[in-house]
Amino acid sequence: MARAALLSALLCFFLTRCVVVGAAVAKVRQQVGRARLAQLSSESSFVRTLAFKHTLRVCNAYPYSAPMEIFHGKTQITDPPLPYKACREFSPPIRDGDKLQFKIGGSNAGSFAISELPNNDAVLVLIVYRHDAISSAVAFESHIFSNLINAQIAVLDTYKGHAEAQPRIQDASSAKTSRSEELRYDSVVAVNPGIYEVVLQSEDREMKARAELVALNRESYVVVRCGVEAQEGQSYSQELIVFPHSDPKMLTGSAAPRRAGHSVLLA
């Protein structure tokens, strides 16, 4: 009787161990099967999530002797800081709701919240300038360029003061022609590839500023009148910011600089 009980106990022990081991093996096989299924699904899928490229460009049109520091969240993205009349391209991943913080001369100048980014590759241009001629407050002007084949130019006026002047685009001085057309503020225009000059003329046609613009297809440019006629502190005369500065060598194979004709895309 005792021997029979012992054999029964041993049989139960081994059966229990077999059940436990069998369940563990089955669980491992199930996990391996799921991993293999996921791998096969990943390998067979031809659908990918699109990752759009949003390029950020900032221009410092704020007249001040000290350069500007820019922070994306808590990370400073200007090294070195951005001086007056300078522009720079940044490549941090930007999303709707992100905030850019600005410091001038070590003091907080303001912040800008990014919103309404398009679901396609695009260039976001942000202009920082003087809010008025009395205070030192900052203001922002932004534009998102469409993804077009033609070169685009956004024309902005950030000058604060009584002086009036209008930008014009014209053939470069080395060109065989001498055509000239007015650029309207707060507009976006398209131009043919080529080398141009952008000039700033007063009402009596006096030249106030001049800058070269090399227009390449699929590139986005800004033309900004900047400066301030300050009621307190230092004044800064009217000047032009043109950005980016494309390489004329990139025009090789493009259409020769033709008429500086352009059509308004946005009012």
Side-chain angles (χ1 to χ4, degrees):
M1 181 67 70
R3 184 178 180 181
L6 177 61
L7 289 174
S8 177
L10 290 173
L11 179 62
C12 180
F13 172 76
F14 283 117
L15 286 176
T16 303
R17 290 294 300 269
C18 287
V19 169
V20 172
V21 172
V25 171
K27 185 175 181 180
V28 170
R29 287 178 175 174
Q30 185 180 28
Q31 291 174 345
V32 171
R34 287 177 178 174
R36 180 58 180 163
L37 180 61
Q39 181 181 2
L40 291 173
S41 176
S42 175
E43 291 174 353
S44 61
S45 176
F46 59 89
V47 178
R48 298 288 185 271
T49 302
L50 291 176
F52 301 118
K53 180 182 179 181
H54 294 139
T55 302
L56 172 66
R57 291 175 179 170
V58 180
C59 290
N60 180 5
Y62 187 92
Y64 196 69
S65 57
M68 177 183 294
E69 297 173 292
I70 307 174
F71 294 81
H72 180 221
K74 296 182 179 180
T75 303
Q76 183 174 348
I77 59 176
T78 46
D79 185 18
L82 193 64
Y84 174 51
K85 297 188 300 179
C87 302
R88 198 174 299 167
E89 183 173 304
F90 304 95
S91 56
I94 54 176
R95 301 177 180 85
D96 283 347
D98 285 1
K99 282 190 176 182
L100 298 174
Q101 300 284 341
F102 298 86
K103 290 185 178 181
I104 301 176
S107 300
N108 290 324
S111 63
F112 180 85
I114 297 174
S115 62
E116 299 181 2
L117 290 174
N119 292 323
N120 55 263
D121 293 349
V123 175
L124 168 63
V125 176
L126 180 62
I127 313 296
V128 188
Y129 62 100
R130 186 87 165 253
H131 182 272
D132 52 64
I134 301 175
S135 70
S136 59
V138 303
F140 301 97
E141 189 75 38
S142 64
H143 178 74
I144 297 178
F145 284 98
S146 302
N147 192 9
L148 301 180
I149 295 177
N150 297 94
Q152 303 174 73
I153 306 174
V155 187
L156 301 168
D157 184 13
T158 66
Y159 180 79
K160 297 301 175 183
H162 299 291
E164 297 289 340
Q166 194 70 33
R168 302 184 66 87
I169 187 169
Q170 62 189 30
D171 292 320
S173 57
S174 59
K176 297 180 180 179
T177 55
S178 57
R179 292 155 295 197
S180 175
E181 294 190 33
E182 183 178 292
L183 294 174
R184 294 190 299 108
Y185 291 122
D186 300 321
S187 70
V188 180
V189 300
V191 297
N192 295 322
I195 302 175
Y196 302 93
E197 284 184 342
V198 179
V199 297
L200 189 64
Q201 289 184 344
S202 62
E203 293 179 323
D204 57 2
R205 303 186 66 82
E206 180 184 354
M207 190 77 63
K208 295 297 183 181
R210 181 193 301 266
E212 181 183 74
L213 191 154
V214 179
L216 303 179
N217 278 337
R218 301 186 182 278
E219 186 57 274
S220 305
Y221 301 87
V222 290
V223 171
V224 182
R225 181 174 79 133
C226 59
V228 63
E229 187 181 333
Q231 296 189 16
E232 293 184 7
Q234 182 179 354
S235 293
Y236 289 78
S237 60
Q238 301 177 76
E239 296 190 70
L240 280 174
I241 297 174
V242 175
F243 186 81
H245 307 293
S246 299
D247 187 352
K249 295 179 182 178
M250 298 297 292
L251 287 168
T252 303
S254 301
R258 293 173 289 176
R259 180 178 184 272
H262 43 273
S263 56
V264 175
L265 302 179
L266 297 175

